[in-house]
Amino acid sequence: MIEFGIKSSKSSLTSIGIKQVKEAHWNLSPSELTEAALQNMEGVLSETGALMCDTGRFTGRSPKDRYIVKDNLTAENVWWGDINIPISTESFDRLHAKMLGFLADKKVYVRDAFAGADKTHRIKLRVVNTEAWHSLFCYNMFIRPEEYQLKSFEPNFTIINCPAFEADPETDGTRQPNFAIINLTKRIILIGGTGYSGEMKKGIFSVLNYLLPINDQVFPMHCSANIGKEDRDTAIFFGLSGTGKTTLSADPNRLLIGDDEHGWTDQNVFNFEGGCYAKTIGLTEENEPEIYRAIKFGAILENTRFIENDRKVDFDNTSVTENTRVSYPLHHIPNALSPSIGGIPKNIFFLTCDAFGVIPPIQKLSTSQAMYHFISGYTSKVAGTEDGITEPVPVFSACFGAPFMPLHPAKYAELLGQKLEANDTNVWLVNTGWTNGPYGVGSRIKLKYTRAMITAALNGVLSNVGYRTHSLFGSEIPTTCPGVPSEILSPRETWKNDEAFYKKANELVLKFQRNFDKYRDQSDDSILKGEPQQNLKF
């Protein structure tokens, strides 16, 4: 075996069961990995120096092919079902052995990294890739050890990622040839049959979402987080795609802690990652200047295309997928906080794009309401976003990240409730969707109004205004907010038709209740009393 790069003096591939490879390239720099990717014909360079690669058949995660090994450790803890799909220890061991044999004559790129900026709660990763650009992705997305740390690095979790290796569904216990399997007992993730790099990132997120609540009572969150430059107040933003999470957490007056995955301890909020993995569809420098300018040497573009006869990226091109992405290290963002650790959050924002037009643009939630809405994870799809959608469709994703949560959602909600009560943290439900009526009738709430409301919450202005109680959600709606017309704050007033408003609002409340039925049996009264109730006055 030929080995290159900075390798631990205390550990090697044999420590993670890999006895033979053709070559092992350890902890190469971005320049070395970019050069290797170009030599291997894995990608090309854009005009800004970013590496452009294709992920092959899979241009996103394959949630139906993501498994967790069901054994003595996980059998009673994991919330098994369509999200957390069980696979046997025997199937895992068989695939693991096959993958080790597959690697025997392959060149591999080994990356040692941390997941978790807080040293008390981080895990040490060793990632073995057969493609150089995947190792560069791991350099970008995980936390990079210092050189002195690499010399004595001993991993406690391993990823083996081989896109060209495929399972045999008939004998290996998988649904298809592609797979991502998490073994929490052996602390190994196996990924095969897919070139989509996000499987590695989200695999480790799932691992932390299992380990941290059980072992450390740390609350894991699928959210962005920032902190004030002056008063150092931390804010957290939860939200599904299309709600404005990236846009609203990017604030020139605040430092970015991270854009996707965090943990909340008794002392701080810390980023799990060392980089950002942002969507690029429709990207412009005017609308997203920080992301646009981060696409330079060291960044990786996925499934994008050039403008014809040019090396300039056409960010409107969806010929491969709408899920075009870029990964880059946090230091590509000028206002990123380093290390990426903030204090206890003063404010949390649940972002929703309500196409029914009945949720107020901002409302303050009690602890019970916050726990309920956290489990619900509501937003909506609108007509035109997918074939067959002709009217608004509610979307619920538990904990604003259901595909990555191995435990029952109520477990995470209970942790949230404990954190809120212990720290007197404000929780705001912010609607970035419609007002004056539903989608097709009303209009989208102006971004400047949403920004004004979030600024007022962050600055404490909303602590000194009057409130009225929402008749269905039971939450508190501010009666005034600087920079926002008072009538905007009450969706019922903007509709000008009480009967139509309450009909649509009751319809949405019923959808909340029916969605929550799947969680009801494991949710106690502290959560259930936050459930919205229908108002049948009309």
Side-chain angles (χ1 to χ4, degrees), residues 146-271:
E146 299 293 337
E147 186 170 332
Y148 76 89
Q149 294 172 308
L150 289 173
K151 292 179 179 178
S152 60
F153 195 93
E154 295 184 71
N156 50 28
F157 223 98
T158 302
I159 302 175
I160 302 175
N161 182 27
C162 305
F165 175 85
E166 295 185 338
D168 179 355
E170 290 188 8
T171 60
D172 293 330
T174 60
R175 185 180 72 100
Q176 294 191 137
N178 61 295
F179 58 89
I181 305 176
I182 301 171
N183 190 320
L184 289 157
T185 298
K186 295 187 175 180
R187 297 203 162 206
I188 299 172
I189 298 176
L190 303 179
I191 302 172
T194 173
Y196 186 66
S197 59
E199 294 283 11
M200 293 183 286
K201 163 187 158 69
K202 290 306 185 185
I204 291 300
F205 185 39
S206 297
V207 166
L208 290 170
N209 287 336
Y210 179 88
L211 294 177
L212 291 179
I214 290 178
N215 295 342
D216 300 342
Q217 287 297 294
V218 172
F219 175 46
M221 304 175 291
H222 190 210
C223 67
S224 60
N226 63 25
I227 187 169
K229 292 180 179 179
E230 301 298 330
D231 55 13
R232 311 301 282 181
D233 65 307
T234 297
I236 290 173
F237 298 81
F238 291 92
L240 302 177
S241 179
T243 60
K245 178 165 66 81
T246 300
T247 299
L248 293 169
S249 62
D251 187 330
N253 298 313
R254 300 174 67 81
L255 299 172
L256 180 69
I257 300 172
D259 80 332
D260 199 41
E261 302 171 3
H262 297 82
W264 182 351
T265 74
D266 290 338
Q267 290 81 36
N268 61 41
V269 165
F270 67 95
N271 195 351

Side-chain angles (χ1 to χ4, degrees), residues 231 233 235 237 248 250-254 347 349 362 428 430 447-463 481-484:
D231 55 13
D233 65 307
F237 298 81
L248 293 169
D251 187 330
N253 298 313
R254 300 174 67 81
N347 292 281
F349 299 94
I362 188 166
W428 308 89
V430 175
L447 179 59
K448 67 177 182 179
Y449 294 155
T450 304
R451 288 194 186 279
M453 288 180 280
I454 287 176
T455 299
L458 291 172
N459 293 343
V461 173
L462 295 186
S463 298
C481 177
V484 182

